[in-house]
Amino acid sequence: MIYLIHICVGLFLMILQSSVKPYFKLFDGFYDLLSVFVIFLGIYRPVRESLSMAIFVGIVMDTLTGGPFGLYLTIYLWILFGIRAGISFLHIKSFFLLPIVISSGVLAGSIISSFVAGMAASEAVFFSKALWMAAEQVFWAVLTGTLLLSFIRYGYSKLNRWQNELFIKKGTHGFFRRAEK
Amino acid sequence: MMIVGLVILVLVNITILSVNSSRKYSSYGLGRVTISMIAPLQKVATRLSHFAKSVWNNYFYLISVAEENDELKSAVKRLVEKNNQRLETEITNSRFRKLLDLRASVSHDIAVAEVIGKDPSQWFKTIIIDKGSSEGIKKGLPVIVSGDIAGQVSDVSSHYSKVLLIIDRNSAVDALVQRNRSRGVIKGASDGECQLDYVLRKHDIKPGDTVISSGVDGVFPKGLRVGYVSDVTKPDFGIFQKINVLPYVDFEKIEEVMVILNPGEKGLLSGSRP
């Protein structure tokens, strides 16, 4: 059940950025929302869940975008790897560290994407433009990343509470047995 | 030991990505399944976005400026709503009429499709359209908008397809400068522009020159408009000049496209174009 919820959230974010976001000029330079979802999974969900979901959303993104197959899989797995490595020696759930963690994740995604897009680029000014795009994405990530992550976290905690009321009171197991601590 | 492992992992990763980027359109069949799964949702979301945008532009905005009494306000709202519907119908009609006119003037079999999603990544330029293999769409078919080149079908599922736009860096179209027949290759560049590569320095190219497809690549029929030259730079060294081309298609506002189903069978558009 929890996987179904993860899939729904992932698909919702994907559709939001492919079918709704393009109609708002303001968000042209916005970062990849799924990076934040993967960061959320990396920080607050068990490894098995986060790894399988990173692979799932990575594959779906790879088939929807024009990039080479494996690009988003690579980005999400490296973000997840970085988060899990960071968790072992940093308290990255801290309110002050979260914007840095999110913007670092977005920056990592931008660097890998620009590297891959750059392989096909013929224009000399590509890297200055790529730098500008990456800076714009990091700016948005610093500004709104924590908010989005908190929103996702809030949604999950609401679902958690709802399932507790619905199932645990009745003595059955819920969807969130390994819910965040 | 861990650092060595990490370095090896990075190298393997880069190698896999490099190999995959040299292969065109390879999603190993997963593309069909995923597009079939996501595209219907995108279609609904796109319709909702259109609706919300039209409501925002024509309804709420007017509410904020109206200072009439409640009765008048509601009357205005009703009229605006009706007017908006009429206007939207009029615009859609004129767009469809243009498509039909063009369809009649084009000497190829055409499938008209609606754009239901855009590339979720900023780094690549593709769109998802609501026609697929069941409507005769195949991988590699050319896609046009009002007779101008928009892109090429890169992945197909039964009812939906992915189109690689000409402004994507992976796209290449063999092209000619219409005025003096100089040949080059149109490649995607940043900011929704294209570059005309491999044009020799000796050729006289001027801003404003129209660039058309040469037909040599076997994908796009000869004579379709690509864009116009916006800037020409002759570097101090090298044998080629640097030419920026602005596409005729406005990719920001693209809503419907036409897929040419039999590009190899006939040549030019039957009607002459400005």
Side-chain angles (χ1 to χ4, degrees), chain A residues 6-166:
Chain A
H6 290 328
I7 289 171
C8 288
V9 174
L11 290 183
F12 172 75
L13 292 174
M14 203 172 296
I15 287 160
L16 195 71
Q17 63 183 5
S18 67
S19 296
V20 180
K21 196 189 82 177
Y23 297 99
F24 299 92
K25 201 88 177 110
L26 176 70
F27 301 123
D28 268 0
F30 219 70
Y31 55 91
D32 174 24
L33 300 177
L34 283 161
S35 302
V36 178
F37 180 53
V38 171
I39 291 169
F40 162 79
L41 293 171
I43 298 175
Y44 298 107
R45 304 303 304 175
V47 178
R48 203 172 59 178
E49 274 177 34
S50 50
L51 187 65
S52 49
M53 282 315 296
I55 292 172
F56 172 76
V57 290
I59 289 174
V60 175
M61 275 291 278
D62 276 329
T63 51
L64 284 184
T65 64
F69 191 79
L71 171 63
Y72 278 89
L73 202 57
T74 299
I75 291 172
Y76 297 149
L77 288 179
W78 278 108
I79 288 177
L80 201 61
F81 178 77
I83 295 287
R84 299 310 302 187
I87 272 179
S88 56
F89 58 89
L90 276 172
H91 184 61
I92 56 176
K93 289 179 191 176
S94 135
F95 183 76
F96 298 104
L97 274 182
L98 264 182
I100 299 171
V101 170
I102 293 168
S103 45
S104 306
V106 169
L107 182 65
S110 297
I111 290 170
I112 299 172
S113 299
S114 61
F115 172 74
V116 172
M119 287 199 277
S122 57
E123 71 220 291
V125 290
F126 169 75
F127 282 102
S128 66
K129 285 182 178 170
L131 200 69
W132 172 251
M133 276 168 80
E136 209 177 353
Q137 289 186 0
V138 170
F139 167 76
W140 276 113
V142 171
L143 216 64
T144 62
T146 316
L147 201 70
L148 177 65
L149 192 135
S150 308
F151 187 70
I152 297 173
R153 203 181 157 201
Y154 174 77
Y156 271 83
S157 68
K158 271 273 179 201
L159 275 171
N160 192 17
R161 205 171 307 149
W162 169 74
Q163 72 92 30
N164 279 346
E165 282 169 12
L166 201 71

